[in-house]
Amino acid sequence: LLDSLYHLLEHLCRTLRAQDRVCRRLHLTVRHSDHVEVSKHQVLDPGTWWESDIYPHLKDLFFRCFRRRVRLGTMAVRVDHLESPTAQWGAQLSLFDDEQTKASVQHERAHRLTLALDRLRARFGEQAIQRGHIAPPKKEN
């Protein structure tokens, strides 16, 4: 289920980047097979369009919504409070590279990888490449 959510998130974030928008609020709606619906939301501060930034919040929302032991019917991910990234990314840049922490370097690498995946999917199609943890299992003959 988390892999399905991540796949939805990838598509959503790719759309946000294509439209040059960042989201400030994330919603998850879970509908069980007995038609009981649970919705939760999380404010994202600062707003973002990166999967690596949003996924921890989405995972937390999933565990807050999925409390019943009843089969799931549907899951829906929605973002709102969209804004231009330039409106919020006016933070001062670092003068020296030495000041970058290991976490910020890993964060930057994840962002570059995401952009590379976007370019591959734009050129070769949606199913051209997937992250390893969301690939569907292969059928054996």
Side-chain angles (χ1 to χ4, degrees):
L1 293 173
L2 290 174
D3 287 345
S4 296
L5 275 179
Y6 191 83
H7 182 69
L8 289 172
L9 180 63
E10 277 187 323
H11 184 70
L12 189 68
C13 288
R14 202 168 30 257
T15 303
L16 287 171
R17 286 188 293 273
Q19 294 177 356
D20 198 30
R21 296 280 181 225
V22 295
C23 68
R24 302 222 8 133
R25 190 163 60 176
L26 176 68
H27 296 266
L28 176 64
T29 302
V30 172
R31 185 176 179 144
H32 295 276
S33 61
D34 61 356
H35 304 289
V36 173
E37 191 171 281
V38 179
S39 292
K40 302 285 183 186
H41 73 275
Q42 174 74 41
V43 175
L44 304 173
D45 189 32
T48 185
W49 61 24
W50 299 110
E51 293 93 331
S52 58
D53 297 339
I54 299 174
Y55 184 67
H57 298 288
L58 183 61
K59 189 175 177 181
D60 180 54
L61 286 176
F62 174 76
F63 287 116
R64 287 175 35 205
C65 285
F66 191 59
R67 299 244 179 222
R68 302 176 63 223
R69 294 183 64 148
V70 178
R71 186 176 61 204
L72 287 181
T74 58
M75 293 187 296
V77 179
R78 184 176 55 122
V79 294
D80 61 9
H81 294 281
L82 302 178
E83 60 186 31
S84 172
T86 55
Q88 66 154 10
W89 288 345
Q92 185 173 350
L93 299 176
S94 173
L95 183 59
F96 302 105
D97 286 339
D98 296 342
E99 295 177 9
Q100 286 187 331
T101 63
K102 186 175 181 178
S104 68
V105 170
Q106 289 176 340
H107 210 62
E108 187 178 320
R109 284 181 182 170
H111 293 176
R112 285 196 316 261
L113 174 63
T114 300
L115 292 174
L117 291 174
D118 285 351
R119 288 190 300 273
L120 284 172
R121 288 184 179 121
R123 184 172 179 185
F124 298 109
E126 182 72 27
Q127 299 298 322
I129 190 165
Q130 293 181 347
R131 290 191 183 260
H133 63 72
I134 64 166
K138 293 182 180 181
K139 294 182 180 180
E140 295 183 23
N141 294 340

